[in-house]
């Protein structure tokens, strides 16, 4: 390695002395500014240096927290309430009457008032409550809902320009979420001495203005006069570098760097020069690296900065003073290595270019292409860490240009190690152009980091383009065995994380190994942890007036100002440079402003806690400390280690100390005690944060001894207990001391909240309870769930609680005059069943948690033995066998059997494996302890049959046993074996159920039983099933026996499932049915006899089913629907117009149904769906309907359009038109009458609505008339035959109208008459008044004229469509019809004035439409011409060349001095084009052959042998031109010119010859075989 360890240790020992400093931030020296240090890492040397004092963060915490040992003894903390009065107003709190768990009742109600549906006695269950389908559930939920407490201190959501996101207040301030925390996020201190010496008027005159800042163990400031000022941390000026030297002549200092050992400084200047100085000897430079003017022949082979190009970045490589790197504003970077020698004269500096290109005027040979504008936006060499790495000897340098990130190794030779382009998101340069980067070297770790390899962290590079930040990690590849040690190391660069900011990033500095300080374009400082890329703090530095300057716009403006038509955003800008003003060293941040200099540091976790305590918000302080302890905040930002053990050791003691001080503060003084006692919510908040803190640090002793003692001594223990409740319900606290439990019971019983108390007891560990006290209290307040829980868990006794519950149940309620005995507690007695259910299924009662297998087996064995052992004394009678079982059955047999049904599902009753049994195969059940018997399902059922069929239980109880057996036998056939006689008796008893409300349960049980048991005399049981109305059972039997007739009859009898009738019909009569013909006839008779019942269920489905399987029964079913026209219509609609989705039922009615059904359907449709009649008739054939059968119904219903359609299809076109004219006349009469009486109508709105409806009807029927006329005209021929076409027009007009013309005449006549009469009625003044408010009179008139216009338009289109046909002159038909109409009008109305106005309006509308079309066409033509003209002009404009010479041969080709040869060449080209056009015309004319000879005096062209025309004059001209093109004035002609899109100019011949020359790249490409496409050799 180049730097020995001894040298590194000397660097690490160079600590900064504790020196005085005047400031405005409260710190005495810069060293007193708290450092954000990593506990696990040692010193970092170089640009990312860190102090290595062990335990420095701890000492800072001790220093800050020791200002007052109790944290709150100062008058400032005690006297100011701070956040105490308001911080808890918005904290979550739950009233006392809120249920503790989801679904439970209010806390104030006792458990005896809570009756669970599952545990309530069921003497007569309803069909909806199936007793064997339910599961017993205790009142306490096994999974409590979210408890009403503060789960964890929450972060605020404030995201302002100045906010701390790492550790927000857990409780909001004054209810305002946007309030800022009381601590300073970054504590800034103004360096007054430095500011006075540098930024004063005297300092500016002596030294110049500050231009650059560099910081290490000393502070270096470059000035505009070329000087460097060196300050120590006393703010004392130690040296002024550059005075009296050439450095002051090199311009302002534009870059600074301090060596790794802090003894040497390098300065770059505006003229391109670099000087290095030893701080101890500032009189003469240590090295001088001048700029190089490569235009001088003697310097053309040397590398160096161009004169006048400012050095923007400079840095030392490793620990050497003679190895530097630098970069300038032109985008060039260099490596400088000086040899060792005796002084500056003897040293030789070797400079190597590592990035960029020289300007064109500095290059002796022309470059192949013009370089893009560039600059080095960010630049930094890799500093050394305290862990040796292979990169230490490689001299890595990272550089950011507008296009690339380049990482270059400078030793032993310059080599690119990594290169990556700008992110795709920033492909467009229309944003803000800026970049920044910063290295953090590898360091040793005291605590292993999971993200690091071993005990050394990885080297990291943070870089950004615009607003995208990327973290790059550098690692070394494992060397291969073949390469050996001599092979150079190979580095890997991996982009681990990426983050996108809201605005552009202009500077980056590492504040710690995982903490970044980022400065944005708007001068906002962001604190980010690179592990999560979360913004943990934000601070506005706009008021700090940070120094910045424009360094890059001169080079890069042309990049961001390029116009991109596809990018609609604004042109980008080049941001000012901030890298010279924002520096970080050992966690401290230094800012160089325009008028001052400041130092700042992030507040650590201790500062923030102290700030909260001093503000009086001790609740927030405890909550925030709990967050720090848990590691839920960004730890590195506040100076806490990532390792949990180290962090817990630091925070734990302070957290306990803060809780003690806070409790003392809250209860110590009389005034505070009274204030706190009057504010219950504040005490609750204090208790909540103490609970959360003690649970986090796992210190229950402090919680129940110290914290509880404070609340108890001040008589506020109730608040403590209320806060304790949700922690118990969430199982976070499982045990409490006996004294606290006693107070807990007393507190809740006094409040009447026995239910809540019971829940708490059932979730506590019973090992710490006083059993006598708890069980006595449970019995007193009837807390039987808690009583059972304590007895089970504390004593493992499951029998005693059951005996106590049986005793409650044995107190039978003797009903006397409607009143029961007072001692009977049915609610708690019913807890027998959920208790047994839980234990028999291996669960803890009442919480539902699972029991251990061994404990569960013991509990089950005890309870089964207790219930089914059958032990009695000698004096007991036979009826006293199984006394406990009998008492439970006497209390509630259905609930007991339902519980047992659930218990049967447990594997305990399956028995032990054969290898573990002692009794052979007969012992199939679980061993019951101390009885010598084996418990199984067979045994339990035998006991139940014996007990319940002893004669003491009635059918209302025994039926539940039968259901129980029927349900469980199919589920456990391998464990339950019963004789057939018993099963037959069970079936019979199930059919004789006592109450109708359990009929459905009995039928379901029979279905279960018949799935396994097959009675030999099943047919004898069918009447029994029928009497019991077990229709599902009967259907199953008939379906299995293929008795389809009985199946259908059963479906009709089952009124509760009537919809199943249709599925049953499909099953019995469908294509897959196996019914015989006899059965089908029987089914037909059944359906016929039950037709009315089937129609009542669903008419539509009935019709579909009959149509599919029994279409012959349609008449019978329709007969049953006589008098119900709507039902008949639905029935016929289902078979005549089936749904398209039911493709199997879709049929053509004209082919498969008789005409009577169709006619009846149409008649019914006229009444039920009149709007659908026309649509339906159009799809029918003419033979499907008889006109005389349906026409009266249509006319009666006013469906004239359908009648017209039918008449036209029957050929009665004239009759159809007559009926239509008659209907239109009727509508006219109604409309005119309505208008005449409009003034008498009290409701003007109804009148307007009626008029509009009539107008719509008129328009509709006019369209029907047009349809009728068009249809008739298509099927007929014109009356004017071919021989009459030669007749005169007058004779043609005088012919008699044909039939189709008469139709048009009638329609026009009635339409015009209606328009005339209605228009006259509308124009009356009374009618105008009615329509003036809602609808204008012109609108009504327009609707009338529209109808007339539609008729004339249809007639014109029809009569002019056949004008070119040879059949006749249909265009004369319109004139004949018009003439006949006018003749008829003159007869009916001698005065044609009104008619004339109507017709004039109609024809004026035609003229208006024609003018609109003409105007539109002219506008379109004009618009099209404009676009074509613009395109032509743009095409002819072409491109203007950049120069006047060919870029290849350098010959002048146009412009002044070119001579006359260009003009002659242009004339020759025009002449050649004219001759070619003439030859083309002559060739085209020769093809016409003998047409040459027809013209008078035309010459015959000279033809060649091949038939081509020869023009001797043209050939001579071309030959002469060809000869003249060879040369002119002794110069070779190079042919036409080519102007490319880049505006470079070439001879075409030069481009074509480029393919044959090696020095000019090929620029010619073949396109389509003929045309040539060229590319510029200079731009490609």
């Amino acid at each position: 390695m180049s730097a020995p360890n001894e040298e590194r240790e000397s660097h690490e020992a160079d600590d900064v002395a504790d020196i005085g400093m005047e400031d405005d931030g409260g710190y005495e020296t810069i060293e007193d500014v708290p450092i954000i240090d990593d506990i696990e890492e040692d010193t970092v040397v170089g640009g990312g240096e860190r102090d290595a004092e062990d335990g420095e963060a701890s000492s800072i915490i001790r220093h800050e927290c020791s200002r007052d040992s109790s944290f709150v003894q100062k008058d400032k903390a005690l006297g100011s309430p701070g956040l105490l009065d308001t911080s808890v107003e918005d904290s979550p709190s739950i009233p006392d009457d809120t249920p503790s768990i989801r679904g439970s009742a209010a806390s104030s109600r006792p458990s005896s008032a809570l009756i669970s549906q599952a545990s309530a006695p069921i003497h007569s269950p309803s069909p909806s409550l199936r007793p064997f389908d339910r599961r017993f559930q205790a009142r306490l939920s096994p999974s409590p809902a979210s408890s009403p407490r503060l789960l964890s201190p929450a972060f605020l959501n404030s995201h302002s320009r100045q906010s701390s996101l790492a550790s927000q207040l857990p409780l909001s301030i004054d209810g305002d979420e946007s309030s800022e925390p009381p601590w300073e996020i970054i504590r800034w201190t103004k360096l007054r001495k430095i500011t006075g010496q540098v930024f004063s008027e005297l300092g500016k005159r002596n030294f110049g203005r500050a231009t650059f800042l560099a910081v290490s163990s000393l502070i270096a400031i470059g000035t505009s006069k070329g000087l460097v000022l060196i300050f120590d941390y006393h703010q004392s000026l130690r040296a002024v570098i550059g005075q009296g030297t050439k450095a002051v002549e090199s311009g302002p200092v534009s870059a600074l760097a301090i060596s790794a050992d802090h003894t040497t400084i390098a300065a770059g200047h505006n003229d391109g020069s670099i000087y290095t100085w030893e701080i101890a000897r500032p009189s003469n430079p240590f090295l001088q690296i001048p700029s190089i003017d490569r235009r001088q022949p003697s310097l053309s082979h040397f590398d160096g900065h161009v004169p006048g190009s400012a050095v923007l970045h400079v840095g030392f490589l490793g620990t050497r003073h003679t190895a530097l790197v630098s970069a300038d504003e032109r985008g060039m970077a260099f490596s400088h290595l000086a040899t060792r020698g005796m002084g500056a004269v003897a040293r030789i500096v070797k400079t190597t270019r590592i990035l960029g290109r020289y300007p064109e005027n500095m290059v002796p040979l022309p470059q192949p292409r013009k370089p893009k504008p560039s600059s080095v936006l960010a630049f930094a060499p890799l500093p050394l860490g305290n862990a040796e790495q292979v990169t230490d000897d490689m001299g890595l340098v990272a550089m950011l240009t507008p296009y690339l990130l380049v990482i270059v190794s400078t030793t032993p030779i310059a080599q690119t190690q990594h290169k990556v382009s700008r992110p795709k998101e920033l492909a467009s340069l229309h944003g803000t152009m800026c970049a920044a980067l910063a290295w953090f070297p590898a360091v040793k770790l005291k605590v292993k980091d999971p993200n690091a390899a071993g005990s050394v962290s990885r080297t990291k590079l943070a870089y950004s383009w615009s607003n995208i930040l990327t973290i790059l990690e550098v690692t070394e590849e494992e060397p291969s065995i073949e390469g050996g040690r001599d092979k150079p190391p190979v580095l890997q660069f991996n982009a681990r994380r990426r983050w996108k900011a809201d605005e552009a990033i202009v500077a980056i500095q590492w504040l710690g190994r995982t903490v970044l300080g980022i400065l944005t374009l708007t001068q906002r400082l962001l604190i980010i942890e690179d592990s999560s890329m979360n913004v943990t703090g934000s601070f506005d530095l706009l008021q700090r007036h940070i120094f910045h300057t424009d360094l890059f716009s001169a080079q890069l403006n042309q990049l961001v100002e390029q116009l991109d038509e596809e990018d609609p955003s604004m042109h980008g800008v080049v941001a000012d440079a901030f890298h010279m003003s924002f520096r970080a060293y050992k966690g401290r941040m230094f800012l160089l402003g325009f008028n001052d200099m400041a130092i700042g540091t992030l507040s650590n976790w201790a500062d923030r806690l102290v700030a909260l305590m001093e503000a009086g918000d001790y609740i927030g302080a405890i909550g925030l400390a709990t967050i720090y302890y848990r590691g839920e905040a960004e730890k590195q930002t506040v100076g806490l280690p990532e390792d949990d053990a180290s962090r817990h050791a630091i925070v734990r003691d302070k957290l306990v100390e803060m809780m003690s001080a806070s409790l003392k503060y809250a209860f110590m003084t009389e005034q505070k005690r009274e204030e706190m006692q009057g504010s219950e919510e504040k005490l609750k908040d204090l208790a909540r944060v103490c609970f959360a803190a003690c649970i986090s640090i796992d210190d229950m002793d402090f919680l129940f001894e110290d914290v509880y003692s404070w609340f108890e001594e001040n008589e506020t223990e109730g608040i403590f207990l209320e806060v304790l409740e949700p922690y118990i319900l969430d199982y976070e606290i499982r045990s409490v001391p006996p004294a606290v439990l006693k107070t807990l019971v007393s507190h809740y019983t006094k409040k009447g909240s026995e239910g809540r108390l019971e829940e708490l007891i059932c979730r506590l560990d019973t090992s710490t309870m006083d059993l006598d006290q708890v069980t006595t209290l449970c019995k007193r307040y009837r807390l039987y769930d808690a009583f059972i829980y304590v007895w089970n868990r504390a004593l493992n006794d499951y029998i005693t609680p059951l005996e106590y519950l049986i005793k409650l149940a044995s107190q039978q309620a003797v009903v006397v005059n409607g009143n029961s005995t007072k001692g009977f507690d049915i609610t708690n007695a019913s807890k027998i069943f959920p208790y047994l259910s839980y234990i028999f299924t291996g669960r803890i009662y009442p919480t539902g948690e699972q029991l251990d297998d061994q404990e569960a087996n013991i509990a089950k064995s005890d309870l089964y033995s207790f219930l089914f052992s059958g032990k009695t004394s000698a004096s007991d009678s036979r009826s006293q066998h199984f006394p406990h079982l009998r008492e439970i059955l006497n209390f509630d047999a259905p609930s007991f059997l339902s519980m047992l049904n659930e218990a049967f599902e447990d594997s305990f009753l399956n028995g032990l494996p054969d290898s573990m049994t002692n009794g052979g195969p007969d012992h199939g059940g679980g061993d019951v302890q101390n009885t010598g018997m084996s418990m199984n399902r067979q045994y339990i059922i035998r006991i139940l049959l014996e007990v319940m069929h002893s004669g003491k239980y009635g059918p209302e109880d025994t039926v539940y046993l039968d259901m129980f057996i029927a349900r469980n036998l199919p589920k456990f056939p391998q464990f339950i074996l019963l004789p057939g006689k018993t099963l037959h008796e069970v079936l019979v008893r199930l059919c004789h159920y006592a109450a109708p409300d359990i009929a459905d349960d009995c039928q379901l049980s029979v279905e279960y039983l018949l799935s396994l048991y097959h009675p030999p005399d099943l047919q004898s049981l069918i009447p029994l099933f029928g009497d019991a109305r077990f229709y599902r059972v009967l259907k199953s039997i008939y379906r299995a026996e293929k008795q389809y007739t009985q199946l259908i009859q059963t479906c009709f009898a089952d009124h509760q499932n009537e919809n199943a009738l249709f599925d049953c019909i499909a099953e019995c009569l469908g294509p897959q049915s196996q019914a015989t013909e006899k059965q089908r006839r029987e089914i037909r008779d059944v359906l016929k006899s039950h037709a009315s019942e089937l129609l009542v269920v669903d008419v539509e489905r009935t019709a579909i089913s009959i149509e599919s399987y029994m279409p012959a029964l349609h008449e019978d079913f329709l007969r049953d629907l006589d008098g119900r026209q709507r039902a008949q219509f639905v029935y016929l609609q289902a078979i005549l117009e089936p749904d398209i989705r039911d493709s199997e039922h879709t049929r053509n009615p004209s082919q498969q149904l008789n005409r009577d059904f169709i006619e009846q359907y149409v008649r019914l449709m006229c009444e039920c769906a009149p709007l659908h009649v026309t649509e339906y008739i159009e799809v029918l054939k003419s033979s499907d309907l008889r006109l005389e059968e349906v026409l009266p119904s249509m006319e009666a219903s006013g469906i004239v359009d359908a009648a017209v359609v039918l008449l036209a299809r029957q050929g009665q076109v004239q009759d159809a038109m007559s009926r239509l004219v008659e209907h239109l006349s009727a509508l006219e009469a109604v409309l005119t009458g309505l208008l005449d009486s409009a003034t008498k109508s009290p409701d003007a709105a109804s009148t307007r609505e009626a008029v509009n409806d009539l107008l719509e009807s008129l328009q509709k029927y006019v369209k029907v008339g047009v349809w009728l006329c068009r249809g008739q005209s298509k099927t007929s021929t014109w009356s004017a035959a071919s021989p009459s076409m030669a007749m005169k027009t007058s004779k043609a007009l005088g012919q008699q109208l044909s039939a189709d013309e008469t139709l048009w005449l009638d329609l026009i006549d009635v339409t015009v008459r209606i328009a005339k009469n209605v228009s006259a009625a509308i124009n009356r003044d009374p009618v105008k008044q009615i329509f003036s408010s809602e609808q204008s009179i012109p609108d009504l008139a327009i609707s009338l004229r529209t109808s007339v216009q539609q008729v004339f338009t249809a007639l014109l289109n029809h009569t002019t469509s056949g004008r070119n046909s040879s059949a006749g002159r249909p265009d004369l038909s319109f004139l004949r019809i018009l003439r006949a109409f006018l003749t008829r009008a003159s007869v009916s109305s001698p005065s044609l004035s009104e008619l004339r106005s109507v017709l004039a309006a109609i024809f004026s509308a035609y003229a208006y439409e024609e003018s609109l079309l003409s105007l539109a066409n002219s506008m379109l033509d004009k618009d099209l011409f404009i676009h074509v003209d613009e395109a032509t002009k743009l095409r002819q404009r072409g491109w203007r060349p950049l120069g006047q010479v060919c870029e290849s041969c350098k010959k002048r080709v146009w412009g002044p001095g070119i001579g006359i040869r260009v003009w002659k060449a242009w004339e020759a080209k025009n002449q050649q084009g004219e001759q070619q056009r003439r030859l083309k015309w002559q060739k085209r004319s020769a093809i016409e052959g003998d047409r040459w000879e027809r013209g008078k005096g035309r010459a015959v062209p000279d033809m060649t042998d091949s038939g081509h025309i020869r023009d001797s004059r043209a050939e001579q001209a071309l030959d002469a031109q060809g000869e003249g093109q060879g040369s002119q004035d002794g110069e070779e002609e190079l042919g036409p010119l080519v102007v490319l899109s880049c505006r470079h100019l070439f001879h075409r011949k030069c481009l074509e010859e480029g393919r044959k020359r090696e020095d000019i790249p090929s620029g010619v490409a073949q396109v389509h075989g003929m045309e040539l496409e060229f590319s510029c050799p200079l731009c490609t």
Side-chain angles (χ1 to χ4, degrees), residues 931-980:
T931 61
M933 58 180 296
S934 178
M935 189 63 59
N936 54 37
R937 299 178 182 87
Q938 178 80 23
Y939 173 78
I940 293 174
I941 290 179
R942 183 174 65 81
I943 297 300
L944 290 174
L945 286 171
E946 177 184 348
V947 171
M948 296 196 69
H949 289 286
S950 59
K952 292 187 177 181
Y953 297 92
E956 65 277 4
D957 291 325
T958 58
V959 70
Y960 288 100
L961 176 60
D962 297 328
M963 286 192 284
F964 173 76
I965 294 174
R967 295 287 187 91
N968 284 278
L969 181 62
K971 291 192 290 185
F972 309 104
Q974 71 274 31
F975 299 109
I976 304 174
L977 298 176
L978 296 176

Side-chain angles (χ1 to χ4, degrees), residues 1489-1496 1498 1500:
D1490 59 346
R1491 296 181 60 182
W1492 286 93
E1493 301 177 356
R1494 294 182 183 180
K1496 184 178 180 180
R1498 298 290 297 274
V1500 178

Side-chain angles (χ1 to χ4, degrees), residues 451 497-499 514 528-536 633-635 637 642:
N451 297 323
R497 286 165 291 277
R498 177 170 289 187
W499 177 73
T514 59
I528 296 180
E529 288 196 3
D530 76 323
S531 57
S532 62
M533 301 305 287
N534 291 331
V535 179
T536 62
E634 284 75 7
K635 299 171 281 295
T637 302
E642 290 283 349

Side-chain angles (χ1 to χ4, degrees), residues 1476-1490:
Q1476 290 178 352
R1477 284 192 296 273
R1478 186 181 302 173
L1479 287 175
K1480 187 181 298 182
W1481 178 83
Q1482 291 176 356
K1483 292 178 182 179
R1484 185 170 60 249
S1485 301
I1487 297 174
E1488 299 182 4
D1490 59 346

Side-chain angles (χ1 to χ4, degrees), residues 1250-1323:
V1251 169
N1252 291 329
D1253 293 340
L1254 287 172
L1255 288 175
E1256 291 179 1
S1257 299
L1258 283 172
Q1259 292 178 351
K1260 169 186 174 184
Y1261 288 110
V1262 167
K1263 293 179 181 178
V1264 174
V1266 172
W1267 170 84
L1268 181 62
C1269 294
R1270 284 178 174 174
Q1272 175 62 18
S1273 300
K1274 289 179 181 179
T1275 58
S1276 63
T1277 58
W1278 296 101
S1279 60
S1282 298
S1284 63
M1285 291 179 60
M1287 297 174 60
K1288 299 295 183 180
T1289 304
S1290 60
K1291 294 182 179 181
L1293 292 174
Q1295 289 183 351
Q1296 186 179 0
L1297 297 180
S1298 62
D1300 54 331
E1301 291 174 342
T1302 305
L1303 293 178
W1304 283 106
L1305 177 60
D1306 293 341
L1307 180 60
I1308 292 174
D1309 184 47
V1310 68
T1311 306
V1312 174
R1313 187 183 75 246
I1314 292 173
K1316 180 185 64 174
N1317 297 335
V1318 176
S1319 297
I1322 288 175
N1323 290 325

